[in-house]
Amino acid sequence: MTSNFIRHIIEQDLHSGKHAGRVQTRFPPEPNGFLHIGHAKSICLNFGTAQANDGRCNLRFDDTNPEKESQEFINSIMADIQWLGFSWSGEIRYASSYFEALFEFALQLIRAGKAYVCSLTPEQAREYRGNLTSPGRESPYRNRSIKENLDLFIRMRAGEFSDGTHSLRARIDMASPNINMRDPVIYRIRHVEHHQTGAQWPIYPMYDYAHCISDAIECITHSLCTLEFEDHRPLYDWILQNLDKSSLHAASDGVTTEAEYVLPRQIEFARLNINYTVMSKRKLKELVIQGFVNGWDDPRMPTLSGLRRRGYTPASIRNFCERVGISRSESVVDVGMLEHSIREDLDRSSPRAMCVLRPLKVTLRNYPQGASETLILPCHPKETSMGARELPFGRELFIDAADFEEVPPPQYKRLSPGAEVRLRGAYVIRCEEIVKDASGQPVELICSYDNATLGVNPQGRKVAGVIHWVPAGEALDVEVRIYDRLFSKENPDDKNGGDYKECLNPDSLLVMTGCKAEPSLRTALPEASFQFEREGYFCVDRLDSTADRMVFNRTVTLRDSWAKISS
RNA sequence: AGGGGUGUCGCCAAGUUGGUAAGGCACAAGGUUUUGAUCCUUGCAUGCGUUGGUUCGAGUCCAGCCACCCCUGCCA
């Protein structure tokens, strides 16, 4: 476990006794889309930090903008977190369940002269805000009396005003070089139903206002978020510091005594980027809505539900996140790192099987007509505890067309005319004749087998190549979906390259039908992973696979040093 | 032009009082192997954005410069 700056901060806090040894984090998604692997980094960080320090981690839906949110997303987020292997502390939290408290705190700010109702239109407000280099101007409503502000704000809540006519603003500093401090809006009027609170509220708090108070209510000690919120930290602190601390404590879930009640600290870290994919919810949503992929859980998507369907395991994703680390520098992680993580896990855990993607018939002419035998193959080369499976062997087989070359390139170890190759777990065969169709394509290989080579190497010669095969009669007809990266450019977000959708990889999905799988696969359950020997890791599609038409998704290929040599 | 950040090997990333650059991925070369897989061994930054300075000694301290990222939603 490599160290990082957040672990350092927590160690220091633990050492100084800042929170009396307490570590409380939270994962605060907005339910406006599916979780992706970038969220996994945050989940692992937040839940992992709590776990490592005997602390707790809440799941809190940051649901302050009902227009974009829905219960469907809440459900998927909960499922994904559990699938990843984490469990939140206590009940699920919602920022919306703090609406009443949030309203009371707003009243408190107004009474202290720290907030006012502004009646500028959104357009005017933008104009008054100034820009990056010039300061803003104070709103003409900035000096309304406390009494008037109270009256107006209460009427806002009562639903007397239409959307956008008024807003509640924090009274900070219109000349601040930090634009977030130029009297930020903390409440807006929105006459829309909320997925949790229904039609109860015509006003909704803004993120900056709701988030810090929600943290304080939940007695969060370390509020971990991504770098883009760095500029918001002064506002986060301002709001909490301008509220009466004992009233915050009173509204909190009461874990600590008054003396121990410490305000949460926001700490930012760099978000995860991976090459050959996009990581913004907006773009992922666009891919779904415009039909470039088949839903949020399309196996090509970097969403957790997509990765799951692709065959990624929770452990592989957790290991990946650990490997990538936490820092404050923006970076782009090579997708090879993710692939390494899943290969590492699946190599250890998945049983081996054979499946021929592009069947080429092989007839063993010296194998007795009508005869057959049953071979026993181990399910894993190292893990003997995984047992063995049976495989029928006979005169007619299928091998993969990719394992035969009529004119073999240098160093070729597979089958070619006159050459010998080992059938995995079975005999050594020699290719003696090629049967071709009208166009000259090989359709069948007539071979001989050496019946002295079952389980032993041939005498006096070395057979270096080993290829996979299935029995022709008993093989299962299956569909195999070959997935590749969704984008063909390393950085789809690169503005110079035009719209990110222009570099979608046209070959990101290849559906192969008529593939031949060994019969032991018949009982494979949805989501089960296998290594199809010499091909890669595949899983049974959890949604589309049926007993009479099994569907396997390619999770990732095996490392392929031959591909490097041969090209 | 203002504010906030970041720059250590092709990609991530450690480096906590200045003492002479962890680890992972990738890559390369060997070895084992009935998966050209796995596994094992070895190699891979006299260099830490850059230029100066302080010091016996600097990735770590100081100053200047350069590059890149974020900020002008009543989004989060």
Side-chain angles (χ1 to χ4, degrees):
Chain A
M1 206 181 240
T2 70
S3 70
N4 64 55
F5 73 99
I6 293 178
R7 294 206 242 254
H8 282 300
I9 290 173
I10 289 176
E11 276 166 29
Q12 281 167 19
D13 290 346
L14 253 22
H15 186 256
S16 71
K18 183 178 175 188
H19 308 96
R22 225 163 43 82
V23 173
Q24 174 73 248
T25 57
R26 102 268 92 114
F27 175 61
E30 184 190 13
N32 66 346
F34 275 54
L35 259 26
H36 53 64
I37 186 145
H39 293 107
K41 177 178 177 180
S42 176
I43 291 169
C44 291
L45 209 215
N46 278 294
F47 285 92
T49 296
Q51 246 165 31
N53 295 287
D54 280 321
R56 301 170 186 280
C57 179
N58 293 348
L59 167 60
R60 178 170 77 232
F61 288 102
D62 220 333
D63 55 349
T64 55
N65 187 13
E67 284 160 299
K68 294 183 176 171
E69 303 158 2
S70 74
Q71 187 63 41
E72 178 209 353
F73 294 133
I74 290 177
N75 298 152
S76 75
I77 288 168
M78 294 191 298
D80 286 344
I81 294 171
Q82 290 174 317
W83 174 76
L84 243 199
F86 294 102
S87 37
W88 46 86
S89 169
E91 295 299 299
I92 291 170
R93 323 298 173 105
Y94 294 87
S96 57
S97 64
Y98 308 138
F99 279 175
E100 195 60 52
L102 258 6
F103 180 79
E104 289 300 321
F105 285 121
L107 256 20
Q108 189 184 127
L109 286 180
I110 293 172
R111 286 194 199 99
K114 304 268 175 67
Y116 62 95
V117 172
C118 180
S119 306
L120 250 25
T121 64
E123 297 70 38
Q124 291 171 320
R126 190 186 321 130
E127 198 185 312
Y128 271 78
R129 189 158 37 235
N131 58 36
L132 264 17
T133 49
S134 51
R137 285 142 51 215
E138 297 189 347
S139 163
Y141 305 98
R142 196 173 202 261
N143 294 313
R144 285 218 254 231
S145 70
I146 289 174
K147 193 173 167 230
E148 189 185 2
N149 282 323
L150 246 18
D151 173 65
L152 253 15
F153 187 53
I154 287 167
R155 288 166 63 196
M156 279 168 64
R157 180 193 182 160
E160 289 187 28
F161 308 117
S162 54
D163 291 8
T165 51
H166 306 279
S167 65
L168 185 70
R169 294 229 251 164
R171 200 166 190 275
I172 310 180
D173 177 12
M174 288 308 291
S176 172
N178 182 346
I179 296 180
N180 294 306
M181 299 298 270
R182 317 240 260 232
D183 289 12
V185 170
I186 58 177
Y187 266 95
R188 77 282 221 180
I189 302 174
R190 278 293 110 89
H191 290 268
V192 294
E193 286 217 5
H194 188 284
H195 47 97
Q196 301 303 310
T197 60
Q200 258 185 275
W201 293 85
I203 56 173
Y204 292 98
M206 301 291 290
Y207 164 85
D208 284 310
Y209 176 73
H211 198 85
C212 55
I213 297 178
S214 300
D215 282 345
I217 288 174
E218 294 176 19
C219 296
I220 300 301
T221 54
H222 305 268
S223 181
L224 313 179
C225 65
T226 45
L227 250 28
E228 67 270 29
F229 292 104
E230 212 159 359
D231 290 340
H232 296 241
R233 194 183 341 128
L235 179 51
Y236 182 104
D237 292 336
W238 185 93
I239 289 170
L240 294 182
Q241 279 159 13
N242 281 281
L243 255 14
D244 175 57
K245 195 175 165 191
S246 61
S247 66
L248 278 172
H249 180 229
S252 75
D253 52 23
V255 175
T256 52
T257 66
E258 177 104 22
E260 287 169 337
Y261 187 72
V262 178
L263 263 18
R265 199 236 275 213
Q266 174 179 308
I267 301 167
E268 312 85 17
F269 63 93
R271 64 188 320 144
L272 174 66
N273 296 295
I274 299 180
N275 57 15
Y276 296 102
T277 191
V278 294
M279 210 71 93
S280 96
K281 258 196 238 178
R282 199 207 96 227
K283 286 172 184 163
L284 295 177
K285 182 173 266 177
E286 198 170 45
L287 292 172
V288 172
I289 290 172
Q290 297 185 13
F292 290 102
V293 295
N294 305 313
W296 286 97
D297 63 351
D298 186 297
R300 292 167 292 183
M301 292 281 273
T303 51
L304 292 179
S305 52
L307 289 164
R308 174 181 184 175
R309 207 170 155 196
R310 176 80 168 253
Y312 276 77
T313 57
S316 73
I317 293 173
R318 280 187 254 116
N319 290 342
F320 169 75
C321 290
E322 178 61 35
R323 219 168 233 129
V324 158
I326 300 291
S327 78
R328 288 175 63 84
S329 62
E330 290 161 48
S331 55
V332 182
V333 174
D334 195 308
V335 68
M337 195 99 90
L338 218 208
E339 294 175 344
H340 168 79
S341 296
I342 187 59
R343 285 193 187 106
E344 176 187 61
D345 190 27
L346 258 19
D347 172 61
R348 185 182 50 71
S349 66
S350 62
R352 313 285 120 127
M354 293 196 282
C355 179
V356 170
L357 267 22
R358 297 168 55 212
L360 174 60
K361 192 175 175 190
V362 166
T363 298
L364 271 17
R365 75 162 154 219
N366 59 339
Y367 196 89
Q369 202 81 242
S372 75
E373 61 192 300
T374 299
L375 270 21
I376 309 291
L377 275 71
C379 291
H380 191 105
K382 291 176 183 165
E383 296 296 326
T384 51
S385 63
M386 290 176 76
R389 83 268 191 196
E390 295 186 342
L391 193 52
F393 186 86
R395 186 178 160 91
E396 296 186 339
L397 316 164
F398 288 116
I399 65 165
D400 199 296
D403 286 330
F404 175 77
E405 285 293 344
E406 195 168 354
V407 183
Q411 300 177 67
Y412 194 69
K413 299 202 306 199
R414 277 104 104 142
L415 200 56
S416 58
E420 279 188 309
V421 75
R422 158 79 65 183
L423 291 180
R424 174 72 160 155
Y427 301 91
V428 169
I429 63 170
R430 181 189 302 277
C431 174
E432 301 191 334
E433 197 179 314
I434 310 171
V435 181
K436 296 179 177 177
D437 65 10
S439 65
Q441 281 300 305
V443 291
E444 183 182 350
L445 268 20
I446 308 297
C447 301
S448 61
Y449 87 111
D450 181 343
N451 72 353
T453 56
L454 185 62
V456 288
N457 284 324
Q459 297 288 327
R461 61 193 200 279
K462 257 181 95 170
V463 176
V466 180
I467 65 173
H468 56 102
W469 59 277
V470 292
E474 298 86 341
L476 268 33
D477 256 296
V478 301
E479 173 177 323
V480 176
R481 298 177 182 171
I482 303 294
Y483 291 103
D484 198 358
R485 47 186 60 146
L486 226 204
F487 293 92
S488 43
K489 254 177 43 187
E490 202 173 321
N491 177 13
D493 287 321
D494 181 20
K495 304 101 192 158
N496 304 328
D499 188 83
Y500 73 99
K501 294 191 288 306
E502 286 166 23
C503 59
L504 277 160
N505 177 9
D507 303 318
S508 60
L509 169 59
L510 174 62
V511 177
M512 302 186 80
T513 52
C515 302
K516 302 286 188 181
E518 66 168 76
S520 72
L521 251 12
R522 184 186 300 281
T523 54
L525 267 18
E527 281 201 295
S529 279
F530 297 87
Q531 185 197 100
F532 286 173
E533 293 203 66
R534 304 205 317 123
E535 288 290 352
Y537 298 96
F538 296 74
C539 70
V540 180
D541 189 279
R542 57 194 289 254
L543 300 180
D544 294 346
S545 191
T546 61
D548 37 291
R549 199 197 57 147
M550 296 188 82
V551 176
F552 289 90
N553 295 330
R554 186 175 76 186
T555 308
V556 67
T557 61
L558 254 27
R559 281 186 67 218
D560 188 357
S561 55
W562 168 244
K564 285 171 202 158
I565 298 167
S566 60
S567 64

